[in-house]
Amino acid sequence: MSPIVKRKGEKFTLPSKYLLFILTILCTGMVMLTFHTTIFSGPLSMIAGYTVVPFEEGISAAGSFLRSRSEELGQIRDLIAENEALKEEVAELTIENTGLQQDRYELTNLRELYKLDSQYDEYEKIGARIIARDSGNWFYSFVINKGSDDGLAVDMNVMAGSGLVGRIVDIGPNWAKVKSIIADDSNVSAMVLSSSDNMIVTGDLKLYASGVISFEQLVDSADAVVEGDKIVTSNISDKYLPGILIGYISTINRDSNNLTKSGYITPAVDFEHLEEVLVILELKQTVEE
């Protein structure tokens, strides 16, 4: 370290770091003298009151401040740790709650299938889960996890919710493809349950965007058919077993020929939310057979 040299004509200035060091040494020395000697008793006590005591109070205040900050930092660390633990607990509870909701949803579906099974107890059925579907918002064509190894065959009827879904159109050993009644090329021979009047129910995906499908060729000369009537599969259907609920009439219109009527049906099945289905293990017996 180079010595401090005072040049001629320059005013001597002590660097601040040296001044701070000297003052610190003096204050520390005075504190030591206060505790271990009686030099500040008597006349010097007044001087000590103006010099040493304020310094001691400052040291005490600084210590209290540092101790308080240390306690606050400790509390903050504890709060951070507690917050992390709560986040983990919330995440675990969220996962558990999601699982419970899924179980509840599946239980509701199974209860609906059980109720549907009881309504059509004259038919032997098997449950299946949907494992794939064609693109789109609705289940107009999908694949289930049961096939010919489980006794399934093409044209077997498929149900879910409260009624008819469609029929099997293709099959493999452990899978089967189902085409639903809302598909554009679907036609079902149906009848009004209350009057046995026949009609043809046709699928229409664009129309189903409004929650309905159409019917036509209804002969109702006595005006016995009204909105809200149940529509079921008819006895003359070549692919579907009789008496399976399709839906309910929502609109009736008289055709221009004044001989038949047409309109819309609200399906009994929600084709937007399907997971499990029932397959009837029986084929419709046709006249040719």
Side-chain angles (χ1 to χ4, degrees):
M1 179 182 297
S2 59
I4 300 173
V5 179
K6 179 181 178 182
R7 296 181 181 179
K8 185 177 181 180
E10 292 182 356
K11 185 179 180 181
F12 178 77
T13 302
L14 185 65
S16 59
K17 62 180 181 179
Y18 293 113
L19 179 61
L20 178 62
F21 177 73
I22 294 172
L23 290 175
T24 302
I25 295 297
L26 289 175
C27 291
T28 303
M30 294 176 69
V31 170
M32 296 297 295
L33 290 172
T34 301
F35 282 106
H36 298 286
T37 67
T38 59
I39 189 172
F40 292 106
S41 60
L44 295 179
S45 62
M46 184 177 296
I47 299 175
Y50 289 103
T51 57
V52 178
V53 173
F55 181 77
E56 291 178 346
E57 291 177 348
I59 293 294
S60 177
S64 299
F65 173 77
L66 293 175
R67 184 167 53 254
S68 176
R69 291 295 297 167
S70 177
E71 292 176 355
E72 290 178 358
L73 291 175
Q75 292 175 357
I76 291 174
R77 284 194 295 268
D78 293 340
L79 289 174
I80 291 174
E82 184 179 354
N83 185 50
E84 292 298 326
L86 289 175
K87 285 182 178 179
E88 293 180 0
E89 185 177 354
V90 168
E92 293 176 357
L93 290 175
T94 301
I95 295 173
E96 183 180 355
N97 185 52
T98 302
L100 291 174
Q101 289 180 347
Q102 182 66 25
D103 291 343
R104 181 179 179 182
Y105 179 72
E106 292 182 356
L107 179 60
T108 300
N109 289 340
L110 292 175
R111 284 176 176 172
E112 290 180 352
L113 290 180
Y114 178 77
K115 183 179 179 180
L116 187 64
D117 184 31
S118 301
Q119 291 175 353
Y120 299 92
D121 57 358
E122 68 271 24
Y123 299 129
E124 182 183 358
K125 296 172 286 294
I126 185 173
R129 179 178 291 273
I130 297 174
I131 56 175
R133 71 170 186 178
D134 288 348
S135 60
N137 296 328
W138 306 293
F139 288 82
Y140 66 92
S141 179
F142 56 87
V143 178
I144 58 177
N145 65 344
K146 298 290 176 66
S148 56
D149 290 347
D150 303 288
L152 274 58
V154 172
D155 287 337
M156 283 186 172
N157 298 179
V158 180
M159 301 188 301
S162 299
L164 181 66
V165 171
R167 62 185 179 89
I168 295 175
V169 295
D170 196 7
I171 197 167
N174 58 356
W175 61 270
K177 187 174 183 179
V178 178
K179 182 173 70 175
S180 69
I181 61 174
I182 66 171
D184 289 332
D185 57 347
S186 175
N187 292 284
V188 182
S189 179
M191 69 178 185
V192 182
L193 183 62
S194 60
S195 64
S196 297
D197 291 314
N198 292 315
M199 65 174 65
I200 300 296
V201 176
T202 58
D204 189 329
L205 290 178
K206 290 184 178 179
L207 188 60
Y208 188 72
S210 301
V212 296
I213 54 178
S214 62
F215 73 88
E216 57 187 19
Q217 301 180 24
L218 169 64
V219 179
D220 178 29
S221 57
D223 292 332
V225 180
V226 296
E227 294 179 359
D229 277 349
K230 288 184 178 180
I231 305 301
V232 299
T233 52
S234 71
N235 297 322
I236 61 175
S237 175
D238 60 342
K239 300 294 184 181
Y240 292 97
L241 297 165
I244 302 177
L245 180 64
I246 297 175
Y248 306 86
I249 292 180
S250 60
T251 305
I252 303 177
N253 301 312
R254 186 174 296 277
D255 297 333
S256 58
N257 58 18
N258 290 324
L259 298 176
T260 60
K261 296 178 180 179
S262 59
Y264 303 119
I265 295 173
T266 301
V269 175
D270 180 4
F271 288 94
E272 189 176 358
H273 306 94
L274 285 176
E275 287 191 1
E276 294 90 9
V277 296
L278 288 178
V279 181
I280 299 178
L281 300 176
E282 183 178 335
L283 289 170
K284 178 67 182 292
Q285 300 297 317
T286 62
V287 175
E288 291 78 4
E289 292 174 343

